[in-house]
């Protein structure tokens, strides 16, 4: 059959990203204890297309992804996956993003009851031919925030809300990326109190009072996260986006920061 994709194109436009989006496959994500967790990933997978080619070979993206979906995955496997794309699609650059729910066991602070908290995570890899892969880990971390102003001006109580911090980190070549569990723990420690899927009455009392004793504005949470991330060995770049889902307003409080080390 005639290979239409490989025909010449005369318009002189190289395409920076071409491939597949919103593909879904199960993946095995390596865990802190040396095992793996099965997740359902939403995938975007693209390559650069030289101006001389009419199109890329779309079927090859899933041909590349499917075998890797059956092996525990972390940075080395992402690097090899992108290497496959460069070779099989005759490309100079390739990008892949896997977005997935990842579950971490949480123990309630008083009762010790165990439950699973879900985090929205993403692995993002970019590789150019002859260069190391640039790998970015993203984790969205929920927690409780309590308003210092509300506490200060009120005769009793203070308004609080659920908040989320969306963190993206990238490490220098030769340094392993932080694990999902450790990044989530670091970020939630900067809020007024962690959240837990399962709480008994004694636990609820504990987290309510813990938040009251640790009031923070969205600016406080952002700055504390910046200071904590700067201390990570080998970190090369990070971005932090904090959002408080306000309980006494019909809008949210928001702050963000990005930094190259």
């Amino acid at each position: 059959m005639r290979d239409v994709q490989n025909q010449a194109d005369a318009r002189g436009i190289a395409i920076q990203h071409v491939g597949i989006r919103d593909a879904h496959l199960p993946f095995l994500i390596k865990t802190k204890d040396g095992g793996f967790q099965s997740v359902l990933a939403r995938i975007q997978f693209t390559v650069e297309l030289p101006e001389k080619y009419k199109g890329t070979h779309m079927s090859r993206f899933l041909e590349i992804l499917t075998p890797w979906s059956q092996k525990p995955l972390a940075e080395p496997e992402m690097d090899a996956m992108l290497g496959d794309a460069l070779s099989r699609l005759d490309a100079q650059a390739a990008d892949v993003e896997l977005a997935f729910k990842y579950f971490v066991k949480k123990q309630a602070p008083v009762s010790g009851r165990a439950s699973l908290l879900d985090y929205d995570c993403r692995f993002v890899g970019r590789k150019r031919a002859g260069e190391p892969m640039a790998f970015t880990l993203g984790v969205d971390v929920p927690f409780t925030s309590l308003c210092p102003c509300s506490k200060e001006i009120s005769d009793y109580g203070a308004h609080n809300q659920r908040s989320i911090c969306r963190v993206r980190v990238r490490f220098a070549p030769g340094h392993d990326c932080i694990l999902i569990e450790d990044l989530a723990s670091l970020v939630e420690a900067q809020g007024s109190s962690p959240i837990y899927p399962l709480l008994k009455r004694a636990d609820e009392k504990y987290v309510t009072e813990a938040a009251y004793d640790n009031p923070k504005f969205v600016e406080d949470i952002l700055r504390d996260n910046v200071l904590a991330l700067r201390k990570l060995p080998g970190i090369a770049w990070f971005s932090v986006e904090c959002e408080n889902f306000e309980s006494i307003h019909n809008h949210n409080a928001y702050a963000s920061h990005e930094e190259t080390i």
Side-chain angles (χ1 to χ4, degrees):
M1 293 184 183
R2 191 159 59 109
D3 190 347
V4 177
Q5 287 100 326
N6 273 345
Q7 288 183 351
D9 192 281
R11 284 166 285 190
I13 301 172
I15 300 177
Q16 296 168 352
H17 302 279
V18 60
I20 61 173
R21 169 180 272 184
D22 273 347
H24 293 82
L25 282 174
F27 273 88
L28 304 174
I29 304 299
K30 291 183 180 179
T31 57
K32 185 176 180 178
D33 61 7
F36 60 86
Q37 184 175 137
S38 180
V39 303
L40 177 62
R42 187 178 74 251
I43 305 155
Q44 178 171 305
F45 196 7
T46 64
V47 293
E48 277 187 4
L49 183 69
E51 63 182 51
K52 64 181 180 179
Y53 291 127
K54 187 174 185 65
T56 191
H57 294 272
M58 294 291 181
S59 63
R60 292 183 187 173
F61 290 98
L62 281 170
E63 287 176 348
I64 293 166
L65 284 167
T66 299
W68 288 109
S69 73
Q70 300 163 24
K71 307 171 186 178
L73 186 75
E75 289 175 80
E77 291 75 22
M78 291 276 288
D79 192 14
M81 183 193 303
L82 289 167
D84 284 352
L86 295 181
S87 174
R88 297 189 61 183
L89 289 156
D90 191 23
Q92 289 300 302
D95 295 79
V96 66
E97 177 177 319
L98 309 178
F100 54 92
K101 288 278 190 185
Y102 187 86
F103 291 84
V104 175
K105 183 182 287 188
K106 302 275 289 183
Q107 284 192 303
V110 179
S111 70
R113 295 292 185 92
S115 56
L116 295 173
L117 181 60
D118 61 295
Y119 296 93
D120 287 320
C121 301
R122 62 193 63 238
F123 286 174
V124 182
R126 176 167 177 80
K127 187 174 181 66
R128 293 198 67 87
E131 297 179 9
M133 176 187 64
F135 177 78
T136 303
L137 169 65
V139 182
D140 297 353
V141 183
F143 47 82
T144 295
S145 61
L146 185 135
C147 178
C149 182
S150 175
K151 178 180 177 179
E152 179 67 26
I153 65 177
S154 301
D155 291 333
Y156 47 86
H159 83 81
N160 57 20
Q161 53 272 321
R162 185 165 53 87
S163 304
I164 194 161
C165 199
R166 303 176 182 93
V167 181
R168 310 289 181 261
V169 295
R170 192 178 305 138
F171 285 74
H175 290 266
D176 290 335
C177 190
I178 189 171
L179 295 165
I180 292 173
E181 294 90 338
D182 292 335
L183 182 57
S185 178
L186 179 146
V187 172
E188 75 173 8
Q190 314 314 319
S192 295
S193 172
I195 66 171
Y196 303 85
L198 175 60
L199 294 173
K200 305 303 284 185
R201 279 177 293 178
D203 302 309
E204 188 171 352
K205 177 180 185 297
Y206 179 92
V207 297
T208 300
E209 293 173 348
Y212 189 80
D213 290 337
N214 189 28
K216 288 191 176 187
F217 292 121
V218 70
E219 298 93 333
D220 296 318
I221 297 167
L222 181 90
R223 287 178 171 135
D224 287 344
N225 268 292
V226 169
L227 292 175
L229 289 165
R230 284 175 177 173
K231 295 177 182 178
L232 292 176
I235 194 164
W237 171 90
F238 64 84
S239 71
V240 187
E241 182 180 89
C242 293
E243 188 170 3
N244 292 350
F245 302 100
E246 293 290 300
S247 60
I248 63 169
H249 305 295
N250 197 28
H251 60 262
N252 297 338
Y254 174 83
S256 67
H257 179 83
E258 181 177 332
E259 194 167 298
T260 298
I261 306 299

